[in-house]
Amino acid sequence: MKKPLVGALFTVLLLGVGIAPATATAAAGHDAAATGTVKEQVKAKAVNFAGTVALSNCSGSVVRTPDSQPNDPALVLSNGHCMESGFPGPGKVVFDQSSTRSFTLLNAAGGGVGTLRASKIAYGTMTDTDISVYQLTSTYAQIESSYGIKALELNTAHPVQGTAITVVSGYWKRTYACNVDGFVYRLKEGAWTWKDSVRYTSACQTIGGTSGSPVIGNATGKVVAVNNTGNENGQRCTDNNPCEVDESGNVTVRQGINYAQETYGIVPCIGTGNKFDLSRPGCVLPRP
């Protein structure tokens, strides 16, 4: 899981390098992943940090569904393994649990413009997927009025192979540009198994602390997935070394390749007032 582990921080210090400017990082990623259309590449330059957040240990973003209203309590999306309560075990779902967690809201340039606070963890799990969704004490209208920042919209459709994407890390204030390389029937890491995961092309070399970053489709500006893990040293199906399992049970290990969890499946589970309702038609998220 791509949390800011001590090893990741030590590597940065050992190399003696700072965090690359977002614009330079994005440009480098596009050179390596220049398989999208000209329109996609031009649009990609508009992908920035506005609406992303920094957590104490991960990245995240303020998100909305197409039906969310300005006066609804805003939502923050991150990973299940980023929750303050620790990694939820296999089969465990956190639902409607009180939280006072704080998030640093970023503007387009990656500067912190204010602090947002949660009222609860609306939903969180590491079963089938790796997501956490916090409900905030602020509405979308209040956030936009105070900071001029709009929420990122969750895409409602399954991602498409070859799509040009940008992973935007609020923790590191850094972006990673690449393409959707494909989809993994089952992605297994330690005790956890995730379904239909997104595999990046090799240009997205995400690191610890990028967990929970929104994966944005360059052509639409919408969130198509949430960054969560990668195979660090070639081990097979161990912590920080996920493996791919196909429908026949064949296992593939791709050292240095990183992954995300699709987010379109969250949308059917959110009803009026941005309230999670796991019994809604089309909602297939694991239930408590």
Side-chain angles (χ1 to χ4, degrees):
M1 272 72 80
K2 292 294 183 182
K3 293 186 73 173
L5 305 176
V6 173
L9 294 174
F10 177 73
T11 299
V12 173
L13 294 172
L14 183 64
L15 292 174
V17 297
I19 300 307
T23 51
T25 307
H30 279 290
D31 288 342
T35 58
T37 64
V38 172
K39 180 179 179 181
E40 284 178 327
Q41 292 176 35
V42 172
K43 290 264 188 185
K45 295 179 181 178
V47 175
N48 56 49
F49 296 96
T52 64
V53 299
L55 286 67
S56 58
N57 60 343
C58 287
S59 301
S61 56
V62 180
V63 296
R64 63 183 298 273
T65 73
D67 294 328
S68 295
Q69 299 300 306
N71 291 322
D72 287 342
L75 303 174
V76 163
L77 171 68
S78 190
N79 284 148
H81 76 259
C82 293
M83 290 189 291
E84 65 268 38
S85 52
F87 291 15
K92 173 71 173 178
V93 173
V94 177
F95 187 77
D96 206 28
Q97 178 176 296
S98 178
S99 173
T100 58
R101 193 164 196 185
S102 62
F103 311 89
T104 301
L105 179 66
L106 304 185
N107 61 17
V113 295
T115 299
L116 304 176
R117 192 166 296 279
S119 61
K120 65 181 179 180
I121 301 173
Y123 185 88
T125 192
M126 288 178 66
T127 298
D128 294 350
T129 185
D130 184 8
I131 61 170
S132 61
V133 181
Y134 288 82
Q135 180 175 299
L136 302 183
T137 58
S138 305
T139 67
Y140 296 115
Q142 288 169 335
I143 293 171
E144 187 170 356
S145 175
S146 297
Y147 309 112
I149 303 294
K150 293 184 178 181
L152 300 173
E153 185 174 328
L154 295 173
N155 198 26
T156 59
H158 190 285
V160 177
Q161 186 174 13
T163 297
I165 55 174
T166 303
V167 182
V168 187
S169 172
Y171 183 90
W172 287 115
K173 300 177 179 60
R174 182 175 180 179
T175 62
Y176 303 80
C178 60
N179 292 71
V180 174
D181 186 51
F183 304 97
V184 182
Y185 176 69
R186 297 290 185 268
L187 188 66
K188 182 173 176 57
E189 179 173 346
W192 295 276
T193 300
W194 304 306
K195 298 179 178 179
D196 196 23
S197 302
V198 175
R199 179 178 61 242
Y200 305 143
T201 52
S202 60
C204 279
Q205 289 295 306
T206 51
I207 60 175
T210 62
S211 282
S213 299
V215 181
I216 298 175
N218 295 344
T220 65
K222 296 180 181 180
V223 178
V224 300
V226 57
N227 181 68
N228 81 309
T229 195
N231 188 292
E232 296 183 359
N233 51 31
Q235 293 182 15
R236 176 185 170 110
C237 315
T238 63
D239 290 350
N240 302 312
N241 291 280
C243 63
E244 301 181 11
V245 184
D246 68 16
E247 296 181 64
S248 300
N250 299 309
V251 175
T252 301
V253 173
R254 302 179 192 267
Q255 184 175 1
I257 294 299
N258 297 289
Y259 303 88
Q261 300 307 306
E262 297 163 358
T263 51
Y264 76 99
I266 298 172
V267 177
C269 305
I270 299 176
T272 303
N274 265 0
K275 184 176 177 59
F276 266 78
D277 180 357
L278 303 181
S279 65
R280 296 187 82 231
C283 179
V284 296
L285 289 177
R287 301 186 184 187

